[in-house]
Amino acid sequence: METKARLVAAAREPLWERGYAATSPRAVLDATGAGQGSMYHHFRGKEDLARAAVDLNTDEMRAQVDTDLGGPGPALDRLHRYLRRERDVLRGCRFGGLAQDPEAMASPVLAPRVEEMFRWPVGRLAPVVREAQAACELRPGLDADRLAVAIAAGVQGGYVLARATRDPTVFDSAVDGIVALLDTARTEP
């Protein structure tokens, strides 16, 4: 693996686990065995390295969500697939910790990326909700945009509750609650 890719890969873990403020470029360099000159050859500094790691996380998350929501099957099944996907819930969302990190959210480079990764899933979920409504899987009177926000908030809240209680079953309960709400919104057969 080339040095630049190794540096980005090594930065992803501390950004996820500790956030931007607590991510040390020295620790990233030590984890890769790269010299400081290598880092500054590829990146302008810590913020630029973090941007590359966040961009890689963004690409992976978008691909996963697109697979969940854009795959085959009825729209409601795809919403369930998105909700029930295997996640490492005790580690939390790769973007959730950054959203809580004042230094990351003060960054003109990182903040817009983090904001977008909280807006994007809502924008991706809403059309699938509308598709479920058009296919008579969900009641047509529901506000698809608000339901998409509720689904995304339920997933994010599930991460927070699971981490705070150190209990992954809390995330499962949050997802079960969202699924139950979707089931109550089903159209009558």
Side-chain angles (χ1 to χ4, degrees):
M1 183 186 283
E2 71 173 85
T3 303
K4 183 176 183 178
R6 285 194 343 262
L7 289 166
V8 172
R12 292 173 74 191
E13 294 306 308
L15 283 170
W16 187 6
E17 293 172 2
R18 294 185 292 279
Y20 177 68
T23 295
S24 157
R26 170 57 34 207
V28 171
L29 290 170
D30 290 347
T32 62
Q36 188 170 0
S38 289
M39 181 173 150
Y40 290 102
H41 171 74
H42 295 291
F43 303 101
R44 289 183 300 277
K46 175 181 172 179
E47 185 179 54
D48 193 35
L49 173 61
R51 179 213 37 86
V54 167
D55 288 350
L56 181 58
N57 289 342
T58 296
D59 293 344
E60 288 182 3
M61 181 177 148
R62 286 179 187 233
Q64 180 63 59
V65 171
D66 282 339
T67 297
D68 294 339
L69 296 175
L76 195 53
D77 289 353
R78 288 181 278 136
L79 288 170
H80 286 187
R81 186 168 52 234
Y82 165 77
L83 289 165
R84 300 240 185 248
R85 173 177 17 101
E86 187 70 32
R87 292 172 166 92
D88 192 355
V89 298
L90 292 182
R91 292 187 76 192
C93 168
R94 286 189 181 266
F95 299 94
L98 292 173
Q100 297 300 315
D101 185 325
E103 195 173 322
M105 295 311 291
S107 164
V109 171
L110 300 177
R113 286 171 164 79
V114 173
E115 290 170 16
E116 175 60 18
M117 287 317 298
F118 281 93
R119 292 183 209 283
W120 181 82
V122 172
R124 188 64 181 87
L125 286 160
V128 180
V129 171
R130 284 194 269 294
E131 185 182 335
Q133 291 172 311
C136 297
E137 296 175 79
L138 292 175
R139 292 195 310 261
L142 297 169
D143 183 320
D145 294 317
R146 286 183 178 178
L147 185 54
V149 169
I151 292 168
V155 168
Q156 287 303 315
Y159 278 127
V160 172
L161 290 170
R163 286 192 67 166
T165 62
R166 296 185 181 120
D167 181 0
T169 65
V170 175
F171 181 89
D172 298 336
S173 293
V175 167
D176 290 345
I178 298 166
V179 168
L181 290 171
L182 287 172
D183 287 346
T184 64
R186 284 180 182 259
T187 56
E188 295 296 322

